């Protein structure tokens, strides 16, 4: 059995899924980051496929970068210059390559939270 990585983004200020948000995935080794994949959330705030599919899944350090500022601009959130939240990096470790790792983002214009979901 091989694991995989998923996410979803909820806009807690609007009470809606965060549709159309760009997300980048990096593998982190020491100070180096290797870009692995870019994707975008669908109408349900999820990606259409796992961000890190089973054939690329391996133990290690990873970073998801959520493009929150661009999403907030597109969603019509009143602008600020600069935005309080723009790019949100979440660095995490995958220790069990046979597990499903789910890293969601709960977002508002002035705060966010994350957790390891199921």
């Amino acid at each position: 059995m091989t694991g995989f990585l998923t996410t979803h983004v909820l806009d807690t200020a609007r009470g809606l899924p965060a549709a159309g948000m760009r997300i980048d995935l990096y593998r982190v080794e020491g100070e180096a980051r290797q870009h692995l994949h870019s994707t975008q959330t669908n109408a349900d705030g999820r990606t259409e496929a796992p961000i890190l599919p089973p054939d690329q899944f391996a133990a290690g350090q990873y970073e998801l970068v959520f493009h929150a500022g661009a999403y907030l601009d597109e969603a019509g959130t009143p602008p600020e210059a600069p935005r309080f939240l723009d790019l949100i990096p979440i660095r995490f470790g995958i220790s069990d390559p046979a597990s499903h790792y789910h890293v969601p983002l709960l977002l508002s214009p002035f705060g966010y939270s994350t957790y390891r979901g199921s």
Side-chain angles (χ1 to χ4, degrees), residues 28-117:
V28 180
E29 294 185 27
E31 296 298 316
R33 291 189 329 165
Q34 176 190 8
H35 183 263
L36 299 178
H37 187 67
S38 293
T39 189
Q40 189 169 344
T41 57
N42 61 20
D44 194 34
R46 299 176 184 276
T47 58
E48 294 294 333
I51 299 172
L52 189 58
D55 65 333
Q56 298 176 21
F57 201 79
Q61 288 284 320
Y62 294 87
E63 184 175 90
L64 287 169
V65 178
F66 296 86
H67 292 251
Y71 162 78
L72 292 167
D73 290 344
E74 288 293 317
T77 302
E80 327 170 75
R83 280 227 176 258
F84 180 70
L85 294 175
D86 185 19
L87 299 176
I88 299 175
I90 299 176
R91 194 167 285 192
F92 58 96
I94 292 176
S95 59
D96 181 2
S99 289
H100 173 199
Y101 284 75
H102 185 67
V103 183
L105 181 71
L106 305 176
L107 172 69
S108 77
F110 300 103
Y112 66 92
S113 64
T114 189
Y115 55 94
R116 180 172 175 193

